[in-house]
Amino acid sequence: MRHAKSDWDDPRQSDHARPLNPRGRSSAQSMGDWLRSQNIAPDVALVSDACRTQETFARLALPETELLLKPGLYLAGAAQMMDVLQCAGRRATVLMLGHNPGIAELAERLVAQPPKHPRFFDYPTCATLVVDFDVSDWSEVSFGRGVPVAFVIPRDVMTA
């Protein structure tokens, strides 16, 4: 998952400290609603330590999900993200929450075939890819082996 839309109102604020804007807060809440409606319950969330990724996770409202802040995910590339993912152990379901362009590149490289969604390759804010891997431990995950289960963006799941 890419973090939700961030706030750019304060030009003095560091990139790392930027919170979500109102649209981002709403998008993250809607994405959490969607995850729960699909019975997708991550055991652990590997989350960049940036303010906007932490706020996105908080607004997903997944109380049974263990939060692990991973400073190495901040602006990481796909290879670095894969290293973090492969350390998730035997947990059944993992949520990784990061930043573009790395999270988009990771999503593209994880799957054998991309999902048929017009926004997959530009991976907008709060875009979420659900991927299935035939492995018993996350250390066995490799690029190009995942099967996409779902790909959604906030506009797909938000109710009026």
Side-chain angles (χ1 to χ4, degrees):
M1 178 183 285
R2 182 180 175 193
H3 65 79
K5 189 83 172 154
S6 59
D7 190 342
W8 289 81
D9 285 347
D10 185 351
R12 298 167 298 177
Q13 197 161 44
S14 74
D15 180 70
H16 195 268
R18 278 190 289 117
L20 299 181
N21 69 15
R23 186 176 111 197
R25 291 191 289 273
S26 177
S27 293
Q29 289 166 344
S30 292
M31 200 57 71
D33 292 344
W34 179 82
L35 288 168
R36 288 186 302 282
S37 77
Q38 300 300 303
N39 294 315
I40 299 171
D43 300 301
V44 66
L46 308 174
V47 178
S48 158
D49 67 343
C51 181
R52 61 192 177 272
T53 48
Q54 291 184 62
E55 187 177 356
T56 298
F57 176 74
R59 291 183 178 278
L60 293 174
L62 302 171
E64 302 301 315
T65 302
E66 177 186 5
L67 169 64
L68 294 179
L69 293 180
K70 297 291 184 177
L73 291 178
Y74 178 65
L75 304 181
Q80 293 167 286
M81 292 180 148
M82 177 62 90
D83 289 344
V84 172
L85 183 60
Q86 288 175 329
C87 291
R90 298 186 63 84
R91 293 175 168 108
T93 305
V94 174
L95 170 69
M96 180 173 279
L97 221 162
H99 309 264
N100 259 359
I103 198 75
E105 181 188 357
L106 177 69
E108 288 178 34
R109 292 182 64 189
L110 283 176
V111 295
Q113 294 291 324
K116 293 180 185 340
H117 191 290
R119 300 296 308 272
F120 179 69
F121 289 103
D122 70 321
Y123 223 84
T125 52
C126 222
T128 301
L129 173 68
V130 180
V131 183
D132 188 33
F133 297 95
D134 186 16
V135 297
S136 60
D137 190 283
W138 286 95
S139 64
E140 301 169 23
V141 169
S142 60
F143 289 128
R145 306 293 295 211
V147 176
V149 174
F151 176 77
V152 295
I153 62 172
R155 186 168 285 146
D156 297 337
V157 301
M158 293 181 83
T159 56

